Amino acid sequence: MNAPMGGHNRRGGILVLVVGIGVILATLGLGLLHLAYSCHVLVLRTNQAIIARCAADSGPVIAVWDMNEDLLRGTWSSPPGPRTVEMGGSKATCTYTVTGAWPTYVIDSVGVCGGATRVVHARVKAESFWKGIGVTDAIIINNNGIIASTGQEIAIRTNSGDKDKICLRYGARVPGDVIYGPTGSALWTIENRRNADIYGETYAGEEIAYPPAAQPEIGLTDTYKLDVSTWTAYNDCGGDTVGASDGITNFSGADPMGALATPRPIRITWQGAGLAEGPGATASLTTPPGDSGVEFADVINWLGDTEAAADFIMHLTGPGITPYCRYALSCGAIRDPGSSGSMFTIMNVLKYTQESSDGAALTENTTEISDYNPTGKVAKWAGIQPGWDAVDETNRISLRVTALSGTAHLSCFKLVRENRAFLGEPGARTQYRFPRAEITGTLCIEGHVTLYCDAQDTADYMAPSNDCFVLNAGASLLMKSGASLELYLGGDMDVKNGSTVICEDSAANQFAIFGLPYAPHTGKGCKNINLLNSGDLCAAVYAPDTAVQVGNDGKFLGAVVAHSLDLKNTGDFVYDASLADDIEEGHPARFTLHRWWED
């Protein structure tokens, strides 16, 4: 008898059901596995995208760091080339490229991680350190010191957090922030804070790394100091040495009054045929008899020695003749009986004005000398700027004496260095380098001048101290309208009481002072800057290793970066906000990020 079929059918149905469930579960598992894989891939891609973005964001920061390091080392000449940096531990890289021109650059940064790439861009700009007062050590603002600004808010800051490094004496007023070093506090670092009015915030800030002022690459202009003072040289133009084979008379110095610490000799050379030698001793620089303040023609012995020829030239050369000083030359002549006079012509000069002995202006550069008489006659030239002689490469003043008939006689001359000197040419950029500058008269700046006083001894000059720029009492430094002076100091600067510093445009960017780094172990470099002149002072000072004292009798307009600042002038300290835009390439600056965007 056959068994019933129902049980087998049930078992078969269950098997089908189990297989179906298995298929469904397998499908679900595969789906979940694929979902998990997709999520993993998504996570990896998202992670790579985030890391790539972070790497790209790091590019501008690294680029700015590299650019500022070049400025700090003094090696900046152009923006750095493309650079790839590995991001430690992330297997990501960023590559930055810098384009543009000083002072604004664009940084393109590409971050790569795996298959992800992100690109960001940033604009950076060089900024001036002249933001008010910035020092690495101490600031002293004396009683009733008033701080002001011509524009943006001023900041007073020190890198130090030590005790009493910002001293605000009674009545001081600061219309801006007072910032001390990261280790300081207001109560600890600011002395007499309660007796001063601070209208901004007081807080700890970052320590500013001030790059050293760079030594300018300028060849030595003169082995003597730049001396702006007057002296007078007299000579009777006679003497036995004129007949010698070299025809040269050398003078030991053009300094009869002892005005120069080191004499600057003048050399006389005669050029011409038939020179006749007059009687007398060897020619020398002499002080005339009588009152030296009397006009030359009244005190010279006109019956003295002479030089005679139909035509001859007298050259005044040597380090006593320089193109940046101005001179006045007076020459006397006598005639042989029967001759019809002598003509004087000044030569080898760039500029001059001419007068006769009685001061009347002449229209030509020659004048006829009348018959000899007891008071004499002279030809005179003033405001002489010596020219450059290409023959022997010497600055010189030359005088040509020509007889209209008979014989020409040059009896005597007086050479006066005027109490003023000029550096630069209007509208031009010029550079000078001297061991030292000492100003007793007036130094006029024309055009845009760079002056480097290196405080180094030479074969012709030995500095008496570390002062490399001295403006004596009664002396003046004048920056004419449209002119500017960049003064680089290899030693100390002393602007004395009673001197004057004049910027005709009343702008601090007319007078920039850069103190080169000071080395305590050698004593070389700029250690002290004293600005004690009479009247107002416009100046921008950058000397991170230097103690600066401002004590002028009037307002100070400008900004100061120094090791320390002692502010004791009688007027206000006014920050010239236009200095914030003084970002000329080569001046101390630092790069900061101004804008950031991504593709």
Side-chain angles (χ1 to χ4, degrees):
M1 181 174 180
N2 294 328
M5 299 294 294
H8 294 288
N9 290 336
R10 285 195 298 272
R11 287 195 293 270
I14 293 171
L15 181 59
V16 171
L17 179 62
V18 170
V19 171
I21 292 172
V23 171
I24 293 172
L25 291 175
T27 303
L28 290 173
L30 290 173
L32 290 173
L33 182 61
H34 184 268
L35 178 61
Y37 174 77
S38 298
C39 290
H40 179 67
V41 170
L42 180 61
V43 168
L44 287 176
R45 289 177 177 174
T46 303
N47 185 54
Q48 289 176 345
I50 293 172
I51 294 174
R53 172 58 193 271
C54 291
D57 288 344
S58 299
V61 176
I62 296 171
V64 170
W65 172 271
D66 290 343
M67 294 164 75
N68 281 326
E69 283 296 296
D70 283 345
L71 291 177
L72 282 171
R73 289 191 298 263
T75 57
W76 174 271
S77 59
S78 60
R83 181 187 175 194
T84 299
V85 180
E86 294 183 359
M87 304 287 102
S90 65
K91 297 182 180 181
T93 62
C94 74
T95 300
Y96 71 75
T97 303
V98 183
T99 57
W102 185 275
T104 302
Y105 297 90
V106 173
I107 300 172
D108 301 311
S109 177
V110 179
V112 178
C113 182
T117 300
R118 293 293 183 271
V119 180
V120 299
H121 312 276
R123 179 172 288 113
V124 299
K125 185 178 180 181
E127 290 189 345
S128 170
F129 286 105
W130 284 319
K131 298 295 184 65
I133 298 174
V135 302
T136 58
D137 191 51
I139 302 171
I140 300 175
I141 299 176
N142 286 281
N143 292 354
N144 300 311
I146 308 299
I147 309 298
S149 174
T150 61
Q152 67 185 51
E153 189 175 89
I154 188 174
I156 296 177
R157 71 184 306 147
T158 175
N159 281 345
S160 177
D162 295 342
K163 182 175 174 58
D164 299 338
K165 287 300 182 180
I166 300 178
C167 181
L168 304 177
R169 299 280 170 81
Y170 182 83
R173 285 186 285 171
V174 181
D177 294 346
V178 177
I179 309 166
Y180 41 84
T183 62
S185 69
L187 293 177
W188 177 258
T189 309
I190 304 177
E191 181 186 3
N192 292 337
R193 177 170 174 262
R194 295 176 181 174
N195 295 325
D197 294 323
I198 301 174
Y199 298 100
E201 302 294 329
T202 58
Y203 57 91
E206 65 172 323
E207 185 172 323
I208 302 296
Y210 296 105
Q215 175 179 313
E217 297 297 328
I218 303 174
L220 196 62
T221 304
D222 199 330
T223 57
Y224 289 81
K225 69 177 179 179
L226 171 62
D227 182 78
V228 184
S229 63
T230 184
W231 49 250
T232 303
Y234 298 89
N235 188 253
D236 62 7
C237 294
D240 298 335
T241 59
V242 175
S245 59
D246 60 0
I248 294 172
T249 299
N250 286 294
F251 298 131
S252 60
D255 185 23
M257 304 304 293
L260 300 178
T262 304
R264 301 184 63 115
I266 292 178
R267 174 182 171 114
I268 296 181
T269 304
W270 302 99
Q271 177 184 336
L275 286 177
E277 187 181 322
T282 302
S284 61
L285 293 176
T286 60
T287 302
D291 183 357
S292 60
V294 179
E295 172 56 42
F296 171 78
D298 297 330
V299 298
I300 290 295
N301 176 12
W302 287 90
L303 297 178
D305 303 332
T306 65
E307 294 306 331
D311 185 285
F312 65 91
I313 299 174
M314 177 187 73
H315 300 293
L316 298 174
T317 63
I321 308 296
T322 60
Y324 33 86
C325 290
R326 299 294 183 267
Y327 300 83
L329 177 64
S330 301
C331 300
I334 61 176
R335 289 177 9 184
D336 280 340
S339 65
S340 61
S342 301
M343 299 293 288
F344 285 179
T345 306
I346 194 167
M347 304 167 61
N348 293 324
V349 297
L350 299 178
K351 298 177 182 177
Y352 63 87
T353 58
Q354 187 180 30
E355 299 174 343
S356 69
S357 59
D358 58 5
L362 299 174
T363 57
E364 299 178 357
N365 71 335
T366 62
T367 182
E368 182 174 329
I369 302 301
S370 65
D371 288 341
Y372 167 73
N373 60 66
T375 60
K377 283 287 186 177
V378 296
K380 295 172 57 178
W381 296 268
I384 298 172
Q385 180 183 2
W388 184 259
D389 186 340
V391 176
D392 56 5
E393 298 184 349
T394 301
N395 289 298
R396 61 170 55 183
I397 298 172
S398 299
L399 180 69
R400 184 170 187 169
V401 184
T402 305
L404 299 182
S405 65
T407 303
H409 293 263
L410 178 62
S411 175
C412 44
F413 75 87
K414 178 181 76 171
L415 182 67
V416 179
R417 188 172 75 180
E418 298 178 2
N419 204 23
R420 60 190 176 124
F422 294 79
L423 293 181
E425 295 289 338
R429 291 187 176 273
T430 52
Q431 297 180 324
Y432 303 87
R433 179 177 174 179
F434 298 92
R436 189 172 191 250
E438 183 169 1
I439 304 168
T440 301
T442 298
L443 177 61
C444 301
I445 304 300
E446 298 181 318
H448 302 287
V449 173
T450 299
L451 172 59
Y452 176 26
C453 298
D454 62 16
Q456 302 296 316
D457 294 337
T458 70
D460 297 314
Y461 180 77
M462 181 171 291
S465 68
N466 197 48
D467 289 339
C468 70
F469 187 93
V470 179
L471 191 66
N472 287 307
S476 298
L477 175 62
L478 170 63
M479 273 65 68
K480 294 191 171 183
S481 180
S484 64
L485 172 62
E486 290 184 7
L487 176 60
Y488 288 83
L489 302 169
D492 296 343
M493 179 179 186
D494 191 8
V495 176
K496 297 181 182 292
N497 285 314
S499 63
T500 56
V501 179
I502 302 170
C503 294
E504 289 190 345
D505 294 337
S506 298
N509 59 13
Q510 280 196 279
F511 187 25
I513 303 170
F514 298 96
L516 298 187
Y518 176 69
H521 62 287
T522 62
K524 299 295 185 180
C526 185
K527 183 181 181 182
N528 297 290
I529 293 177
N530 295 318
L531 304 174
L532 308 177
N533 61 290
S534 299
D536 295 343
L537 175 62
C538 300
V541 180
Y542 186 89
D545 290 348
T546 305
V548 176
Q549 180 183 193
V550 176
N552 62 301
D553 182 18
K555 177 179 70 176
F556 179 93
L557 175 67
V560 174
V561 172
H563 175 69
S564 63
L565 173 64
D566 187 359
L567 185 63
K568 55 178 65 173
N569 60 312
T570 60
D572 299 349
F573 180 101
V574 181
Y575 168 52
D576 187 345
S578 67
L579 292 172
D581 298 322
D582 184 4
I583 45 178
E584 182 177 338
E585 191 167 12
H587 284 186
R590 67 172 179 168
F591 290 103
T592 57
L593 289 166
H594 278 248
R595 186 187 171 198
W596 198 302
W597 72 97
E598 63 178 314
D599 286 347

